[in-house]
Amino acid sequence: MKTFKIGGIHPPENKLTEGNSIEVLPIPSELAIPLLQHLGKPAKPVVKAGQRVKKGELIGEADGFISANVHATTSGTIKAIKSHPHPGGQYAPTVFLESDGQDEWLDGCNTEPQDWQSFSKEDILNRIKAAGVVGMGGAGFPTNVKLAPPKDKVIDTVILNGAECEPFLTSDHRLMVEEPEGIIEGLKIITSLFSTPVKAYVGVEANKKDAIEALAKYASSYNFEVVQLETKYPQGAEKQLINSITGRKIQEGELPFDKGCIVNNVGTAFAVYEAVCKNKPLIERVVTVSGIEIQAKKNLKVIIGTMFSDIISACGNIPGTVNQVISGGPMMGKAQYSFEASIIKTSSGILFINNEGLDTSRERTCIRCGKCVEACPQELQPWLFTNLAQRREFDELPAYGLFNCTECGSCTYVCPSKREIVHWIKYSKAIVNNRKKRKSA
């Protein structure tokens, strides 16, 4: 069984919904579709209030190289375009769409599957771009850009990430069990984009035996390898996944293509399949609704723009003992301040946590135990970042690899002094970046 070589932890898995089949959430009467669902600039709105749109119609156009299209997720009338709470924690420009209940597709969208092998590489990339496909594992990087690395980079390895190492989350797990053929077809499309012979893998943690079996049934036809990975956090982090499967190590300042690798989430591969073969834009995704407190724990197929409040209503509401709502997993997800935030392309789950699931111990002084160093998969010294940041010696931090930190949270999880290490790292990165901008202005 393969795994990465340095650091890592094994928190309680709490995969409470791993056996729950994907259910389709009914379309809400009103949707709030953010124009920022990806890395880079928000999309530019191309619709106006009062305009009628069909499902799959473009409502936000990619604004620049690192941006992505946004589409209507059902048919109806545009009610407004305004700033609205975003699951990332900020406010973002958002298109409000009132459903007409017809759910009428735009002509030419969501067709019967087509034979993509007659398409040119340019056609395939254009279809992925037009569909607004972005990385669905959390980063939201535009997929058409990732799949077109610089010409001097030789890609010999394509990896699909099916690790889903965050506790509670099972949305990728269920997609692998229920849609393995589409995922493998998406992988086949991705590998076709590279001229050199490419070895393709799907990395899946060992706690998902049924997913491994389902994928292997289709992968073997194309000589793709489904790799069983040790159940260990953060197995699904891009650098750790590459190290686990190939043994290659991504150094600070390098990107995967510098080591000949391209990594995509299994959900992204499925979206690529639907975009290329069915001309279907990315307008829906599977979301895990879990946590100790929510009454009905589910894996839901949800259209983009569905507000958290509608999902909560569909899952039987929440008791008053819930203390925190998290978008994503408990290790890297973001605490929410509004139930009016909505599902976006990178939303893998919504968790409802009470005080029993939260460590509310008071932060204490570092005791130099070294546990954060042992847990860090990037071979960093997290305690040092915190100490320097608390002394406001921010300019010292980059020399110790500040920007090589992936903010996985392993250090904070193991710290016996309950120091908010990741908080200080994020804060330090923001300070250092702002100082750089001021110097270059």
Side-chain angles (χ1 to χ4, degrees):
M1 194 180 305
K2 294 189 174 183
T3 190
F4 53 96
K5 306 300 185 294
I6 306 294
I9 58 176
H10 190 171
E13 296 174 21
N14 284 320
K15 302 286 190 180
L16 308 177
T17 51
E18 62 184 354
N20 295 6
S21 300
I22 299 170
E23 300 177 34
V24 178
L25 185 74
I27 298 170
S29 59
E30 183 181 42
L31 297 154
I33 307 172
L35 292 168
L36 178 61
Q37 302 186 41
H38 47 265
L39 198 68
K41 295 178 69 176
K44 292 185 296 185
V46 294
V47 290
K48 296 179 179 178
Q51 182 176 337
R52 173 173 163 71
V53 294
K54 291 185 178 180
K55 186 176 185 177
E57 189 168 339
L58 187 72
I59 60 173
E61 184 178 45
D63 186 10
F65 183 60
I66 307 297
S67 185
N69 289 340
V70 176
H71 302 81
T73 53
T74 190
S75 57
T77 302
I78 304 297
K79 302 303 291 184
I81 303 172
K82 60 184 180 181
S83 187
H84 186 73
H86 188 276
Q90 72 276 42
Y91 274 68
T94 301
V95 176
F96 285 81
L97 173 59
E98 183 179 71
S99 170
D100 61 8
Q102 302 300 310
D103 202 30
E104 181 183 4
W105 276 100
L106 184 70
D107 290 344
C109 283
N110 196 31
T111 64
E112 289 298 315
Q114 302 171 46
D115 179 13
W116 61 270
Q117 301 201 49
S118 62
F119 299 160
S120 68
K121 293 180 183 178
E122 185 178 15
D123 288 340
I124 291 172
L125 288 172
N126 284 338
R127 283 184 174 235
I128 295 170
K129 179 181 180 181
V133 179
V134 303
M136 298 175 72
F141 194 81
T143 301
N144 62 296
V145 179
K146 177 179 267 192
L147 296 181
K151 291 182 179 177
D152 62 334
K153 305 297 180 184
V154 178
I155 302 302
D156 62 15
T157 303
V158 172
I159 299 172
L160 289 191
N161 183 358
E164 199 166 51
C165 55
E166 279 257 13
F168 288 101
L169 301 183
T170 59
S171 52
D172 284 349
H173 183 170
R174 292 311 309 178
L175 188 70
M176 289 187 285
V177 169
E178 298 181 37
E179 298 286 357
E181 188 173 10
I183 292 171
I184 295 300
E185 194 68 19
L187 177 57
K188 190 178 176 187
I189 293 169
I190 291 170
T191 58
S192 76
L193 295 170
F194 304 103
S195 303
T196 52
V198 168
K199 183 66 177 173
Y201 304 90
V202 189
V204 186
E205 283 192 336
N207 59 357
K208 305 174 186 64
K209 301 290 187 189
D210 49 355
I212 292 171
E213 184 178 343
L215 290 167
K217 178 181 175 183
Y218 296 96
S220 59
S221 301
Y222 306 114
N223 203 28
F224 299 158
E225 183 178 349
V226 180
V227 181
Q228 184 171 261
L229 303 168
E230 181 180 333
T231 303
K232 179 181 175 183
Y233 181 85
Q235 192 69 260
E238 194 171 59
K239 292 179 180 179
Q240 279 62 51
L241 187 61
I242 290 171
N243 184 250
S244 294
I245 292 178
T246 70
R248 300 172 191 174
K249 186 175 179 181
I250 309 298
Q251 304 290 349
E252 184 174 0
E254 289 186 324
L255 293 171
F257 61 56
D258 291 312
K259 288 292 192 290
C261 298
I262 293 286
V263 179
N264 284 279
N265 178 266
V266 289
T268 309
F270 187 69
V272 165
Y273 157 69
E274 292 200 310
V276 174
C277 296
K278 302 170 74 174
N279 198 28
K280 181 178 177 181
L282 179 49
I283 59 167
E284 63 188 11
R285 67 157 297 140
V286 181
V287 176
T288 297
V289 182
S290 189
I292 304 300
E293 288 298 304
I294 189 76
Q295 292 176 10
K297 302 171 180 58
K298 297 174 181 283
N299 292 299
L300 293 174
K301 182 181 285 187
V302 181
I303 60 172
I304 303 300
T306 300
M307 287 182 263
F308 290 2
S309 53
D310 289 314
I311 293 177
I312 292 168
S313 297
C315 293
N317 290 313
I318 53 177
T321 52
V322 167
N323 298 96
Q324 197 168 97
V325 177
I326 298 172
S327 175
M331 300 300 293
M332 296 188 72
K334 295 193 173 179
Q336 299 298 297
Y337 63 94
S338 171
F339 289 166
E340 301 313 303
S342 45
I343 295 299
I344 61 175
K345 297 173 184 177
T346 58
S347 302
S348 53
I350 307 175
L351 304 184
F352 299 86
I353 308 295
N354 63 10
N355 267 343
E356 293 180 5
L358 296 173
D359 191 336
T360 56
S361 305
R362 187 176 178 182
E363 183 174 336
R364 301 183 296 276
T365 304
C366 175
I367 58 173
R368 305 290 179 96
C369 65
K371 288 189 175 180
C372 62
V373 178
E374 291 177 6
C376 179
Q378 292 296 100
E379 300 181 80
L380 301 173
Q381 301 182 66
W383 66 273
L384 183 59
F385 294 144
T386 309
N387 286 7
L388 291 172
Q390 289 177 336
R391 296 204 299 264
R392 306 195 67 77
E393 297 176 15
F394 298 109
D395 292 337
E396 303 292 322
L397 289 166
Y400 292 100
L402 175 68
F403 289 98
N404 204 27
C405 171
T406 58
E407 303 170 13
C408 70
S410 297
C411 52
T412 302
Y413 181 82
V414 299
C415 178
S417 294
K418 307 304 174 189
R419 303 181 88 197
E420 296 288 347
I421 299 173
V422 174
H423 162 77
W424 284 105
I425 289 173
K426 290 179 179 178
Y427 180 63
S428 299
K429 286 181 178 179
I431 295 289
V432 173
N433 282 329
N434 284 338
R435 288 181 177 178
K436 282 182 183 176
K437 286 179 184 176
R438 284 201 296 269
K439 284 182 180 177
S440 61

